[in-house]
Amino acid sequence: MTSRTSPWLILGAVGFMAPGCVQSALNPSDAVTLSGKAQHEDKSPLASAELALVRSDNSACVGTSAFAKPTTDAQGAFQVPMKGSDTQNGDVARCFRLSLPVGAQGAQLSADFLVQVTQVEVPTLQQWNGAPAASLTATGAQLTFVDLGSTHGLPGLDYSLTAQVGAAVAWASPHVVSPVAFSDALLEDFSATASVSASSPVKGSGTTFTLRYQCDGVALPTHAKVPASRGAACAYAGAPTVCPLTDGKVDKVALGSGVTDVTVTLPAAKLLKKAVLRGVGVSPSATVVLEGSPDGVTFSHLADVGALDAYQELDLTGATAITQVRLKGTRTDGGTFAVSSLDELSLFE
């Protein structure tokens, strides 16, 4: 199974269920019992499964470390005995994360929570495979999935999508619904695997459990559209000889400090219609644009770039053939504009 990056981290949608410092309600000597039940998606017991229980140093589930590996019985039930001191770091309640084993096709389910009472009953952890399916369309591909309302009685959830090439992120979108459409430009000639995720809060046992679901991954078919910019040269402060932004890879590219603009130069003039930016990070409070030039001297506006969106597909407004495309911006608060990251910039006719 290919390793995949958590979409909750990619989209910045961790949405911690508690601030970083919540005072513990337990005494260090208290005897605590954590219990619950794990199920397959069809609600049959997830028997003899090793779960992972980790904890953080504070009340937000960040920087967690291993704590226990409870195993379910024949009925899918599990139990973890603890002391009050195990749930605390000084006076602060630790955040715990309990995860089911990752499915063969990548499905994941975990629960984040604080322990504030001595008898903690975790909501039933019912796997979600999502039955994802992908197919070609005339202009790209589409992905369908079965939402959690149909299988778990959790309607109206907000879904996010992540498409990856190996462990690298090729595309990420918040707020998706089935079917999800992909253009040929977005897919390029990548061999990408996509999945969707959602979270749901459940109150109980003196806390709020944040259940985080990720469905199985599915391969996205493509028409193998290659951008006009593939292999083109690029220029920015500290740029290497071989441009990492047009190489057809989506691995992370750290541009370093002091990059105020990025320019891609095509080997021949092209009438460009679309741009895809992957993993772009720019200064906050900025107005960001793509500009085009036929000669490297005179530039005109091609598209506005969203300063908060790491993955963007943009229609370009240029009416003439150009050889250069430049990403640049200005700070609306008067500060110095900077491009902190850009994994790939693809330009299409």
Side-chain angles (χ1 to χ4, degrees), residues 314-329:
L314 305 173
D315 292 324
L316 305 181
T317 59
T320 59
I322 55 177
T323 58
Q324 292 191 357
V325 172
R326 182 170 66 186
L327 172 71
K328 64 176 297 186

Side-chain angles (χ1 to χ4, degrees), residues 200-337:
S200 177
V202 177
K203 293 186 180 297
S205 294
T207 189
T208 297
F209 299 87
T210 301
L211 303 184
R212 306 188 186 283
Y213 298 87
Q214 180 177 322
C215 78
D216 284 339
V218 62
L220 294 173
T222 76
H223 292 114
K225 186 177 183 67
V226 178
S229 56
R230 179 66 58 82
C234 63
Y236 55 88
T241 302
V242 178
C243 180
L245 310 181
T246 60
D247 58 4
K249 301 176 182 178
V250 291
D251 299 323
K252 279 294 179 187
V253 178
L255 299 185
S257 60
V259 176
T260 58
D261 58 83
V262 174
T263 301
V264 171
T265 301
L266 303 176
K270 301 286 185 180
L271 180 58
L272 300 175
K273 298 297 186 182
K274 191 176 289 288
V276 178
L277 291 82
R278 308 182 195 270
V280 61
V282 297
S283 302
S285 303
T287 299
V288 192
V289 297
L290 284 177
E291 300 176 327
S293 174
D295 54 13
V297 177
T298 302
F299 284 83
S300 58
H301 181 273
L302 294 176
D304 294 323
V305 178
L308 299 179
D309 301 320
Y311 297 87
Q312 301 181 49
E313 182 177 10
L314 305 173
D315 292 324
L316 305 181
T317 59
T320 59
I322 55 177
T323 58
Q324 292 191 357
V325 172
R326 182 170 66 186
L327 172 71
K328 64 176 297 186
T330 56
R331 288 279 290 272
T332 55
D333 60 3
T336 301
F337 175 77

Side-chain angles (χ1 to χ4, degrees), residues 105-128:
Q105 302 303 317
Q108 300 179 43
L109 171 56
S110 64
D112 291 3
F113 55 94
L114 305 183
V115 176
Q116 297 283 50
V117 295
T118 57
Q119 298 293 321
V120 179
E121 181 70 24
V122 179
T124 298
L125 299 177
Q126 179 189 353
Q127 291 178 324
W128 176 57

Side-chain angles (χ1 to χ4, degrees), residues 148-160:
L148 284 151
S150 300
T151 56
H152 292 58
L154 298 172
L157 295 186
D158 186 20
Y159 294 91
S160 299

Side-chain angles (χ1 to χ4, degrees), residues 17 29 40 71-72 79 105 139 147 165 213 243 245 281 298 324:
M17 37 69 68
S29 59
H40 293 286
T71 300
T72 61
Q79 191 173 90
Q105 302 303 317
T139 58
D147 67 41
V165 179
Y213 298 87
C243 180
L245 310 181
T298 302
Q324 292 191 357

Side-chain angles (χ1 to χ4, degrees), residues 6-14 108-110 197-199 212-214:
S6 168
W8 305 311
L9 298 180
I10 294 164
L11 295 170
V14 175
Q108 300 179 43
L109 171 56
S110 64
S197 60
S199 65
R212 306 188 186 283
Y213 298 87
Q214 180 177 322

